[in-house]
Amino acid sequence: MVAVKGIIQANGIDIRISSSNEADYISLTDIAKKRDEENPRFIIQNWMRNRSTVSFLGLWEELNNPNFNRVEFEAFKNESGDNGFVLTPQKWIENTNAIGIVSKSGRYGGTYAHSDIAFEFASWISPEFKLYIIKDYQRLKSDESHHLAIDWNVKREIAKTNYRIHTDAIKESLLPPNLSGQQISYTYASEADIINTALFGMTAKQWRSLNPKVSGNIRDNATIEQLIVLANLENLNAEYIRDGLSQSERLFRLNQVALYQLNTLLTNPPKSIETLKKLQK
């Protein structure tokens, strides 16, 4: 599990959300405070000792967890509902290899559960309270989608930063007069692929051949770090073109720069890149 990525508010109660394997996990501990603010763990245990709860948790694991221990699950299921039956999140996780519920210690400690399970728990607490949780959870997901849209636009703008400088250099130094439209297009595409090869190790056509089902092109699917380096390479290539360097020499130099800059951005990223990445999460 990673650190808390967001907080939703349900009828005046703050409920933390974390994430694991690209899925949202909602704090059962915070939800349980609706019933008992001082001892939320006892509320969770009371819910887990019900036969219907154990059956639901087992079914969820069977659908989502290939390593789920069905033998231990059946044992819990047979014992559930008895007056002496006690089941804690830790016991459930350790005995069944469950992944739908997790326990965390430290600053953001408590019991978290996949959103599917958290909504079921919230319904047990109060159907009305569950609706409040779902409402603000939907608001959070909408905000995330908006951030992703902003991030996509930022990435596109980074990619276009030095495009005009690059194409102007090609026009001034590599395009003799009286070329056909097809010849001009080929020259621009060839220079674009010099950048692609230096940065990605392949041309746009080669990438498309390897990724036939992926939407967009090679640059649309680049990381933020790659797009920053791409913009720098376009600027450098424009200068190399004006200096009269051959295409092979330019490719070698650009590749060396790409390797150095990518390594720098990945090993010691500036805060601006970290901010952009947080918008993707």
Side-chain angles (χ1 to χ4, degrees), residues 19-217:
S19 63
S20 178
N21 298 323
E22 300 182 356
D24 288 337
Y25 278 64
I26 301 175
S27 173
L28 298 188
T29 301
D30 292 342
I31 294 175
K33 290 178 181 178
K34 171 68 175 177
R35 184 73 62 83
D36 188 339
E37 188 172 352
E38 297 298 324
N39 299 291
R41 69 182 185 278
F42 295 142
I43 302 300
I44 298 172
Q45 291 176 24
N46 287 339
W47 173 67
M48 293 188 68
R49 67 191 300 271
N50 293 326
R51 187 176 183 84
S52 61
T53 299
V54 174
S55 296
F56 176 83
L57 294 176
L59 177 59
W60 190 95
E61 295 292 342
E62 288 177 352
L63 295 174
N64 297 279
N65 181 6
N67 298 316
F68 182 55
N69 190 327
R70 283 188 53 86
V71 174
E72 290 293 334
F73 160 62
E74 291 296 338
F76 283 140
K77 185 177 179 181
N78 291 333
E79 296 175 18
S80 61
D82 291 345
N83 291 335
F85 177 67
V86 176
L87 183 60
T88 66
Q90 293 82 1
K91 187 176 181 180
W92 171 254
I93 295 166
E94 292 172 3
N95 287 45
T96 68
N97 297 320
I99 61 173
I101 293 180
V102 297
S103 290
K104 298 178 58 178
S105 59
R107 180 181 178 185
Y108 300 111
T111 299
Y112 287 73
H114 188 280
S115 56
D116 295 342
I117 298 172
F119 293 149
E120 182 72 11
F121 176 58
S123 183
W124 180 79
I125 294 289
S126 163
E128 178 186 8
F129 189 53
K130 173 186 177 181
L131 289 177
Y132 281 113
I133 293 174
I134 291 176
K135 186 72 173 178
D136 208 47
Y137 179 72
Q138 290 173 337
R139 185 270 311 163
L140 178 67
K141 300 306 290 185
S142 177
D143 288 348
E144 288 179 357
S145 297
H146 178 64
H147 286 320
L148 287 174
I150 292 175
D151 177 60
W152 186 87
N153 288 327
V154 169
K155 290 169 70 175
R156 293 294 294 172
E157 289 304 316
I158 291 174
K160 294 188 295 184
T161 300
N162 290 322
Y163 178 75
R164 180 63 181 273
I165 296 174
H166 189 228
T167 55
D168 282 354
I170 296 171
K171 183 178 180 180
E172 294 170 4
S173 304
L174 298 180
L175 293 179
N178 302 320
L179 286 180
S180 68
Q182 183 176 5
Q183 290 172 316
I184 292 173
S185 296
Y186 175 81
T187 301
Y188 281 122
S190 176
E191 287 302 317
D193 270 336
I194 288 296
I195 305 296
N196 291 335
T197 303
L199 178 58
F200 304 110
M202 65 185 74
T203 66
K205 184 177 181 180
Q206 289 170 335
W207 182 90
R208 173 50 57 198
S209 178
L210 293 172
N211 301 276
K213 296 182 179 180
V214 179
S215 61
N217 57 41

